[in-house]
């Protein structure tokens, strides 16, 4: 059934300048996001200043959104929407959307707007023309609401016409009595005089209240003046121990300045001590490395001498001739050892 309305709906939405293409497949399954977007766009098109929350994330937000749109269309445009079909957001919602679309489309046709493919410039122009008539639309809505209220009151009064007709005919048929009319006039005059007296009493009370307030204001002003004078006297009086306080404050300032100077000197000396310790540590490491290298070199020379001696013991003749050489080498080794020991002691 909704397929019969779908083509009209798409054509009208395209003519109104809806920026998105709507296909039949969008409404095969429930698509609440598209329905809410179309509803919000139509409401904004009908009245740009409408404040309807667009949140449709939760079920409660969706129900509130559908109710707000239906209430707006019912009060402002007098269009009754089926909220159940709108909430379904399927093909049956197209028929409900078509109600609002047809109203806007008819209004556009009455103003002579073409039904061709509306570009962005045409849609913005149509929005501008609609916005320029916002005041007229507000006045029309206000008049429509007044007409509705007046019609409802008129309907209620006409419902009471049967009873009022009988009372009216009895009053007209009854002869006019001067005494009774004079009595009613006196009652009305007494009521008016009573109201006048009440008004005068109220005016007198207002005058008394005004006098009381003026007296209170004057009293507060006098209290303020006394307080200001007392404040000035307190500010002019010098405390008893102010001189001692100033002296102690000067001493404290001097102590603080000396403390800062000593603290800076201490920090500088600590930094110098750290630098000196660092250099000593580096020198100690270099000396240890040199000693380690010299020990390794001495060990290598001792091993070399031991190997040479073992070779010399095999040849007896050569050993006698080279006795003096071995003694010289032993002396050199002893000198090197003594030098190493002195370095280690140092």
């Amino acid at each position: 059934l909704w397929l019969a309305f779908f083509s009209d709906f798409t054509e009208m939405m395209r003519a109104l300048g809806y920026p998105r293409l709507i296909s039949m497949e969008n409404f095969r399954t429930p698509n609440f996001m598209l329905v809410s977007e179309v509803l919000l766009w139509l409401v904004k098109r009908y009245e740009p200043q409408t404040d309807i929350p667009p949140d449709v994330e939760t079920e409660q937000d969706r129900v509130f959104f559908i109710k707000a749109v239906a209430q707006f269309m019912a009060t402002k445009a007098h269009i009754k929407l089926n909220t159940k079909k709108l909430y379904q957001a399927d093909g049956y919602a197209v028929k409900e959307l078509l109600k609002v679309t047809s109203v806007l489309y008819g209004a556009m046709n009455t103003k002579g707007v073409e039904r061709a493919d509306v570009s962005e410039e045409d849609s913005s122009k149509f929005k501008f023309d609609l916005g320029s008539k916002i005041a007229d639309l507000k006045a029309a809505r206000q008049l429509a609401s007044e007409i509705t209220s007046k019609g409802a009151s008129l309907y209620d009064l006409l419902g009471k016409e049967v009873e009022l007709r009988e009372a009216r005919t009895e009053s007209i048929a009854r002869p006019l009595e001067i005494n009774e009319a004079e009595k009613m006039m006196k009652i009305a005059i007494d009521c008016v005089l009573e109201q006048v007296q009440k008004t005068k009493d109220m005016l007198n009370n207002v005058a008394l209240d005004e006098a009381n307030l003026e007296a209170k204001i004057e009293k507060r002003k006098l209290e303020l003046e006394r307080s200001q004078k007392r404040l000035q006297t307190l500010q002019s009086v010098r405390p008893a121990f102010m001189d001692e306080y100033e002296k102690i404050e000067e001493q404290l300032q001097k102590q603080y300045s000396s403390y800062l100077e000593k603290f800076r000197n201490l920090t500088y000396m600590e930094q110098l001590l750290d630098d000196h310790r660092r250099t000593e540590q580096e020198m100690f490491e270099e000396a240890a490395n040199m000693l380690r290298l010299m020990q390794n070199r001495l060990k290598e020379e001792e091993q070399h001498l031991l190997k040479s001696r073992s070779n010399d013991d095999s040849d007896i003749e050569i050993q006698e001739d080279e006795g003096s050489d071995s003694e010289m080498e032993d002396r050199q080794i002893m000198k090197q050892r003594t030098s190493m020991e002195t370095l280690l002691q140092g």
Side-chain angles (χ1 to χ4, degrees):
L1 180 60
W2 61 274
L3 294 175
F5 302 101
F6 186 77
S7 59
D8 296 336
F9 174 69
T10 54
E11 291 294 332
M12 290 180 184
M13 292 295 290
R14 191 180 297 112
L16 289 173
Y18 186 65
R20 180 179 174 182
L21 294 176
I22 301 174
S23 63
M24 191 181 299
E25 298 298 330
N26 296 131
F27 294 97
R28 292 288 184 184
T29 58
N31 191 353
F32 192 84
M33 300 301 293
L34 179 59
V35 172
S36 63
E37 182 181 353
V38 172
L39 282 173
L40 188 61
W41 187 82
L42 291 173
V43 169
K44 292 290 184 182
R45 198 59 179 274
Y46 189 83
E47 186 175 355
Q49 297 179 354
T50 305
D51 187 10
I52 293 178
D55 298 331
V56 292
E57 297 296 332
T58 61
E59 182 179 355
Q60 187 176 2
D61 294 338
R62 294 182 178 183
V63 172
F64 181 75
F65 176 77
I66 293 296
K67 286 183 178 180
V69 172
Q71 186 177 2
F72 173 80
M73 286 299 172
T75 55
K76 302 296 183 180
H78 301 286
I79 300 173
K80 186 177 180 181
L81 298 176
N82 192 340
T83 56
K84 183 178 179 180
K85 291 182 179 179
L86 287 175
Y87 189 79
Q88 288 178 358
D90 54 2
Y92 292 100
V94 177
K95 185 177 179 181
E96 303 300 322
L97 294 173
L98 188 61
K99 294 179 182 179
V100 184
T101 309
S102 60
V103 173
L104 293 175
Y105 183 74
M108 187 179 69
N109 286 335
T110 55
K111 291 184 179 181
V113 181
E114 296 180 356
R115 288 187 58 187
D117 294 333
V118 182
S119 61
E120 294 180 357
E121 296 179 358
D122 296 333
S123 62
S124 63
K125 184 178 178 181
F126 179 70
K127 291 178 181 178
F128 177 76
D129 294 336
L130 185 62
S132 63
K133 300 295 182 180
I134 290 175
D136 296 337
L137 289 173
K138 288 182 178 179
R141 285 196 297 272
Q142 186 176 0
L143 289 173
S145 61
E146 290 179 359
I147 290 169
T148 304
S149 61
K150 296 294 184 183
S153 61
L154 181 61
Y155 179 78
D156 295 335
L157 293 175
L158 290 175
K160 298 177 182 178
E161 177 62 21
V162 179
E163 298 176 359
L164 296 175
R165 188 185 297 117
E166 296 178 358
R168 187 170 58 252
T169 52
E170 289 179 0
S171 298
I172 292 171
R174 187 173 59 186
L176 182 61
E177 294 181 359
I178 296 173
N179 295 327
E180 188 175 355
E182 186 178 357
K183 184 179 179 181
M184 296 300 295
M185 289 296 292
K186 286 181 179 180
I187 293 171
I189 291 169
D190 293 336
C191 291
V192 172
L193 291 174
E194 186 178 357
Q195 291 180 358
V196 170
Q197 188 63 35
K198 287 182 180 180
T199 306
K200 288 181 179 180
D201 294 337
M202 291 174 67
L203 291 173
N204 293 327
N205 293 329
V206 169
L208 292 174
D209 293 338
E210 186 177 358
N212 293 328
L213 290 174
E214 288 179 355
K216 289 181 180 179
I217 291 169
E218 291 295 332
K219 186 177 178 181
R220 295 294 182 185
K221 285 182 179 179
L222 293 174
E223 291 179 356
L224 179 61
E225 290 178 358
R226 286 196 297 269
S227 299
Q228 288 178 352
K229 290 179 180 179
R230 186 178 179 185
L231 177 62
Q232 290 176 0
T233 53
L234 290 174
Q235 288 177 352
S236 62
V237 174
R238 187 177 179 83
F241 302 98
M242 194 65 189
D243 297 333
E244 186 177 0
Y245 173 77
E246 290 178 354
K247 290 180 181 179
I248 293 172
E249 189 175 4
E250 291 178 358
Q251 293 177 2
L252 180 62
Q253 188 68 27
K254 292 178 181 179
Q255 292 292 332
Y256 182 70
S257 61
S258 64
Y259 165 73
L260 287 178
E261 185 177 0
K262 291 180 180 178
F263 182 76
R264 285 196 297 268
N265 294 332
L266 178 63
T267 306
Y268 179 69
M269 295 299 291
E270 287 179 352
Q271 186 178 0
L272 292 177
L273 181 61
D274 292 337
D275 295 337
H276 182 67
R277 288 176 178 174
R278 192 181 301 108
T279 54
E280 285 185 350
Q281 184 68 24
E282 292 177 356
M283 292 175 64
F284 179 74
E285 290 178 356
E286 289 178 359
N289 292 328
M290 291 293 294
L291 290 174
R292 194 179 298 108
L293 291 173
M294 292 176 71
Q295 287 178 358
N296 293 329
R297 189 179 298 170
L298 289 173
K299 287 180 181 180
E300 290 177 357
E301 290 179 358
E302 288 177 357
Q303 291 178 359
H304 181 69
L305 290 172
L306 290 172
K307 288 180 181 179
S308 62
R309 285 179 182 179
S310 62
N311 292 326
D312 292 337
D313 290 337
S314 61
D315 192 358
I316 297 172
E317 293 178 356
I318 295 172
Q319 184 178 6
E320 291 178 355
D321 294 334
E322 294 178 354
S324 61
D325 294 335
S326 62
E327 291 178 357
M328 292 295 291
E329 290 177 355
D330 292 334
R331 290 176 182 176
Q332 290 179 357
I333 291 168
M334 291 298 292
K335 288 180 180 181
Q336 289 178 355
R337 286 182 176 178
T338 54
S339 62
M340 285 295 296
E341 289 176 355
T342 55
L343 285 173
L344 289 172
Q345 288 177 359

